[in-house]
Amino acid sequence: MNKLFKKVTAVALSGVLVATAFAGCSNAVKEESNADKTYTVGICQLVQHDALDAATEGFKAAMTEALGDKVTFKEQNAGGDSNTCSTITNQFVSEGVDLIMANATPALQAAMQNTVSIPIVATSVTDFATALDISDWTGTTGMNVTGTADLAPLAQQAEMIKELCPDAKTVGILYCSAEPNSKYQADEITKTLTELGFTVSEYTIADTNQIADVTTKAVGEVDVIYIPTDNTIASATAAVNEITEPAKIPVFAGEEGICKGCGVATLSISYYSIGYEAGKMAVEILTEGKDPATMEIAYASDLTKKYVVDRAKSLGITVPEGYEALDITAE
């Protein structure tokens, strides 16, 4: 029995050693495979303007820093058209990209309509619950989507209006009715503005063709205009400024790009930073196998009060300490 036991044990041990050797080879091959793996990422950006451009730049920077030449980007701009977002993301799905980056809410919604399997990392989305029609929001989407939000500090922006324009009585909120996240921001900031004693009115446009007429109406009826992080208006701030500047109506903006184009002040997030954070999330999904369904949506933490010097002087607004001057010479 002892001889037989020793023989069986020896055979079993040799089998374990062989299996371990094969496992070691398998792991080595797997590690080598992962090291050599390349990735293709499709980027769908809704429209070209400073904020979204910065988010895309940050996203690509984070991925390139982590993966170098192992990542290739297929970058497309939809020119502000949600239908084009759908065409672009559908093309990405057909091409079998490894991940889709959706820059702005319509890009995210289009990507979601075209795939439930390819990971989607979105950025510049104000409220993911609104964008994805999720009623029981917990901080994660529960689907093939994660990303970073550009939700502005709305209550603090309302307080900024009070701080810089203490004599103002009425505020007009100018935004595009086709952007659900803009409506969300309008509703939220109205609560604080009302608490601060302002009378608030909404002025909405369906597209950029209506900017001149609607803005003209607004400047004739309110003391101050507020523009949330709205992509449609962000792409046509010059049209707003042509009307508000001669009328001496101060415009407060939800983000820096809009402020440069037509505003006097903003409490803005960094779109480059939220894009960069989204890029880091994409790397984790592709290289570590993280599940976007369980990755919490991230929010901006670095906020800066900024103002346009010449517009503040022209409007007779005294800006207290703590504000950073915005350079608009290149605008």
Side-chain angles (χ1 to χ4, degrees), residues 14-329:
S14 64
V16 170
L17 292 173
V18 170
T20 302
F22 274 115
C25 290
S26 176
N27 288 335
V29 170
K30 185 175 180 182
E31 289 175 5
E32 183 179 354
S33 176
N34 287 338
D36 294 338
K37 186 171 176 57
T38 59
Y39 306 94
T40 301
V41 175
I43 297 176
C44 179
Q45 180 173 319
L46 173 63
V47 68
Q48 183 176 7
H49 63 70
D50 287 354
L52 298 191
D53 290 350
T56 293
E57 183 183 349
F59 177 85
K60 292 167 65 178
M63 292 208 73
T64 302
E65 285 175 16
L67 300 173
D69 59 6
K70 294 175 185 174
V71 61
T72 300
F73 301 104
K74 292 179 177 289
E75 190 172 348
Q76 297 286 337
N77 193 296
D81 183 56
S82 56
N83 291 327
T84 304
C85 285
S86 184
T87 300
I88 292 169
T89 53
N90 184 54
Q91 178 184 344
F92 290 157
V93 173
S94 298
E95 293 172 349
V97 299
D98 297 297
L99 181 142
I100 294 174
M101 189 277 245
N103 194 349
T105 299
L108 167 59
Q109 292 171 329
M112 273 300 302
Q113 290 171 358
N114 284 308
T115 181
V116 294
S117 57
I118 296 175
I120 300 169
V121 177
T123 190
S124 311
V125 175
T126 302
D127 183 63
F128 277 77
T130 299
L132 300 174
D133 195 23
I134 300 174
S135 57
D136 53 342
W137 181 248
T138 61
T140 59
T141 67
M143 53 187 77
N144 60 318
V145 175
T146 190
T148 54
D150 68 349
L151 181 62
L154 298 170
Q156 295 173 66
Q157 289 182 347
E159 292 165 358
M160 176 184 287
I161 294 174
K162 188 71 173 179
E163 178 181 44
L164 298 185
C165 298
D167 297 327
K169 304 296 182 185
T170 55
V171 176
I173 304 178
L174 177 64
Y175 67 95
C176 177
S177 58
E179 298 193 32
N181 281 314
S182 295
K183 172 61 177 172
Y184 170 83
Q185 291 174 83
D187 291 344
E188 289 300 308
I189 198 169
T190 293
K191 297 173 185 177
T192 305
L193 288 170
T194 302
E195 291 173 359
L196 292 173
F198 293 106
T199 299
V200 182
S201 301
E202 292 186 1
Y203 297 86
T204 63
I205 62 169
D207 54 48
T208 54
N209 294 323
Q210 296 180 333
I211 284 182
D213 289 342
V214 174
T215 305
T216 298
K217 177 177 172 58
V219 299
E221 298 175 348
V222 300
D223 301 320
V224 173
I225 289 176
Y226 173 77
I227 301 174
T229 55
D230 184 284
N231 292 298
T232 303
I233 295 180
S235 65
T237 53
V240 175
N241 193 59
E242 286 177 1
I243 296 165
T244 55
E245 192 169 84
K248 299 290 185 181
I249 298 295
V251 174
F252 289 80
E255 56 91 8
E256 182 178 319
I258 295 175
C259 190
K260 285 182 178 181
C262 62
V264 64
T266 183
L267 178 56
S268 184
I269 67 171
S270 165
Y271 275 80
Y272 182 91
S273 294
I274 63 170
Y276 191 91
E277 185 64 30
K280 289 167 60 179
M281 289 176 153
V283 171
E284 291 175 341
I285 292 168
L286 293 176
T287 65
E288 300 175 23
K290 287 200 173 181
D291 183 2
T294 61
M295 295 174 72
E296 289 196 0
I297 300 302
Y299 296 84
S301 57
D302 49 340
L303 304 172
T304 308
K305 287 183 175 182
K306 299 184 178 183
Y307 77 110
V308 178
V309 177
D310 290 344
R311 290 193 187 119
K313 288 181 178 179
S314 175
L315 293 164
I317 294 175
T318 301
V319 179
E321 292 185 3
Y323 283 75
E324 178 183 307
L326 268 176
D327 181 12
I328 63 169
T329 54

